[in-house]
Amino acid sequence: MELKSFSVAELRARPGRKWHMYGEDVLPAWIAEMDFLVAEPIQRALEQLAERASYGYEEGTLSPALAEAFAGRMRGRFGWEVDTETVVPVSDLVQALFACVCAFTKPGDNVVLQMPIYPPFQHAVRETGRRIANHPLVNDASRYAMDTARQVPDAPMLLLCNPHNPTGRVFERHELEAIGRTVVERDMVVVSDEIHADMTYAGAKHVPFASLGPEVAARTVTITSATKAFNIPGLRCGLMHFGSPALRDRFRATVPDRMLGTVNQFGLKATIVAWQECDPWLDRVMALLQENRARLTQFLRSELPRVGYHEPEATYLAWLDFRRLELAQPQRFFLEHARVALNDGADFGTQGQGHARLNFATSPAILDEILRHLRDALLNRE
Ligand SMILES: Cc1ncc(COP(=O)(O)O)c(C=O)c1O
């Protein structure tokens, strides 16, 4: 089956934040969501639930089925064996980040982030009264890498993002192992957000952090969902996997299960179907994204060579460095002059000043239009 990507007119006629946050003449390339129709098995499963108009308490079978679907996927894609008993559904990953910070640290504690970083990581630290301790990624001219020679700041917890948003890095085993050694030596807790793991491009291999070994696993909460790869973030379903029963008990002692609420049956069902039946759809998405990534790379090289950029190794977000163009606030500039909405790099931490994040998960035609608008805005300014 063909992958259905929508036209601009169709996208504007659909509900949702991506296309309605800014003016009706703005092309949105910001929030991490794709302009493609959801996989058919997911749509069918949701319609079947709705047709029966069955909105009572569900039988309790879907949460165990979610844990099984997760275990099957981790085994199949990454060769990682997980314990289904330590899986806890959550409605979204940002909720899981906040809950873990509260459970494993105290107000005033340091929490290590590898900046630039997806803004809710910073919110989960600051809004709970903790402090950000930065262990910045380094831009080594070919990519952003973990600075394994630099000491990890002293802290009880590290929030890892792998694959990394916004740089698109898929960390290599040796980078993860370096962090893993520190975590074990200092007995830290790691929350590893692996939401983009299903979206790696050829040549990059995702290694689940907790798969590095039992000592690392015992200190790792892996958080993930099907919402990015299968484009269902509005269904609000994700999970936490605790790498040992003791870690799960430690969490529960501060955040009892009921504080997390329970996940709705639509989200649970869609996630299970996504993970078990929708890989042919995901393969089509990745093929198109790979083409779009090549288009973007080619365009930047030939038309905007002063924009700093490394091809992402996973997912559909491009981290663009505009500092050589001396744009004080690129996001604002492009919104005003190109009528394109990007994410403001400054929201990703001080390392993000002068940068913006571009979402290229749209049709090639719309991507071309976005890129033309960016280029023309720059040309008209010069
Ligand atoms: C790394 C990362 N974590 C979490 C999320 C958001 O997940 P949720 O909608 O489940 O809170 C995103 C969304 O873009 C993301 O990129």
Side-chain angles (χ1 to χ4, degrees), residues 317-343:
L317 306 168
W319 184 236
L320 305 178
D321 179 354
F322 293 100
R323 284 174 301 174
R324 278 199 285 166
L325 286 104
E326 286 167 17
L327 290 178
Q329 291 177 302
Q331 194 271 352
R332 208 153 139 190
F333 172 81
F334 289 116
L335 187 58
E336 269 174 35
H337 301 283
R339 306 305 282 155
V340 170
L342 305 171
N343 283 91

Side-chain angles (χ1 to χ4, degrees), residues 31-33 90-97 117-118 120-121 160-166 193-196 223-225 227-228 233-234 236-238 315-317 357:
I31 199 167
E33 199 174 297
V90 286
S91 64
D92 61 70
L93 298 206
V94 175
Q95 174 193 31
L97 280 173
I117 194 72
Y118 175 61
F121 276 50
L160 179 67
C161 188
N162 183 36
H164 187 262
N165 175 358
D193 178 335
E194 304 189 3
I195 196 170
H196 295 283
I223 62 175
T224 195
S225 71
T227 61
K228 289 293 131 187
R236 318 315 284 150
C237 176
T315 205
Y316 48 81
L317 306 168
R357 195 190 72 178

Side-chain angles (χ1 to χ4, degrees), residues 26-348:
V26 170
L27 290 171
W30 62 295
I31 199 167
E33 199 174 297
M34 304 192 275
D35 293 337
F36 312 131
L37 185 66
V38 74
E40 209 263 331
I42 296 177
Q43 183 62 20
R44 210 174 337 115
L46 295 176
E47 282 170 6
Q48 274 169 11
L49 279 178
E51 261 164 28
R52 288 189 212 149
S54 163
Y55 308 121
Y57 292 114
E58 83 69 27
E59 291 152 51
T61 53
L62 284 176
S63 289
L66 175 79
E68 286 299 336
F70 168 68
R73 193 156 188 90
M74 293 304 110
R75 187 182 307 119
R77 286 182 87 95
F78 310 120
W80 177 37
E81 290 295 333
V82 306
D83 177 1
T84 52
E85 294 296 313
T86 55
V87 170
V88 178
V90 286
S91 64
D92 61 70
L93 298 206
V94 175
Q95 174 193 31
L97 280 173
F98 273 73
C100 286
V101 170
C102 290
F104 295 114
T105 65
K106 299 185 302 302
D109 278 353
N110 280 342
V111 176
V112 180
L113 303 184
Q114 295 176 310
M115 292 165 95
I117 194 72
Y118 175 61
F121 276 50
Q122 302 167 54
H123 306 160
V125 177
R126 291 210 185 96
E127 291 174 20
T128 56
R130 278 68 171 171
R131 291 197 306 221
I132 294 174
N134 191 8
H135 187 244
L137 296 185
V138 283
N139 182 355
D140 70 3
S142 67
R143 62 184 193 174
Y144 290 85
M146 283 199 200
D147 192 352
T148 48
R150 181 187 182 122
Q151 254 226 327
V152 175
D154 194 21
M157 172 175 253
L158 182 146
L159 305 182
L160 179 67
C161 188
N162 183 36
H164 187 262
N165 175 358
T167 67
R169 263 313 302 290
V170 178
F171 295 117
E172 286 173 18
R173 182 175 286 276
H174 73 90
E175 290 169 287
L176 297 171
E177 281 175 348
I179 292 290
R181 278 192 294 275
T182 306
V183 164
V184 172
E185 267 164 34
R186 301 207 205 141
D187 199 19
M188 297 167 71
V189 173
V190 172
V191 179
S192 186
D193 178 335
E194 304 189 3
I195 196 170
H196 295 283
D198 272 345
M199 306 194 84
T200 51
Y201 296 104
K205 187 174 168 0
H206 174 72
V207 178
F209 188 67
S211 73
L212 292 179
E215 289 201 300
V216 171
R219 294 166 176 83
T220 303
V221 187
T222 305
I223 62 175
T224 195
S225 71
T227 61
K228 289 293 131 187
F230 296 94
N231 210 27
I232 48 174
L235 292 175
R236 318 315 284 150
C237 176
L239 62 81
M240 300 189 282
H241 170 264
F242 294 86
S244 75
L247 194 64
R248 203 248 174 284
D249 291 345
R250 232 178 107 190
F251 176 87
R252 204 180 242 161
T254 312
V255 184
D257 287 357
R258 294 301 304 190
M259 275 177 72
L260 296 168
T262 43
V263 180
N264 75 83
Q265 58 174 335
F266 287 87
L268 289 164
K269 185 72 191 167
T271 303
I272 295 164
V273 170
W275 279 341
Q276 293 182 337
E277 298 174 35
C278 297
D279 280 340
W281 179 90
L282 180 59
D283 290 344
R284 290 195 291 275
V285 167
M286 289 311 295
L288 190 138
L289 292 179
Q290 178 133 348
E291 275 174 35
N292 275 2
R293 185 182 67 155
R295 251 182 151 75
L296 171 66
T297 303
Q298 178 55 32
F299 189 93
L300 292 173
R301 273 203 197 120
S302 60
E303 308 269 337
L304 298 173
R306 286 161 71 213
V307 176
Y309 158 77
H310 304 311
E311 273 200 333
E313 297 164 344
T315 205
Y316 48 81
L317 306 168
W319 184 236
L320 305 178
D321 179 354
F322 293 100
R323 284 174 301 174
R324 278 199 285 166
L325 286 104
E326 286 167 17
L327 290 178
Q329 291 177 302
Q331 194 271 352
R332 208 153 139 190
F333 172 81
F334 289 116
L335 187 58
E336 269 174 35
H337 301 283
R339 306 305 282 155
V340 170
L342 305 171
N343 283 91
D344 187 352
D347 292 342
F348 295 75

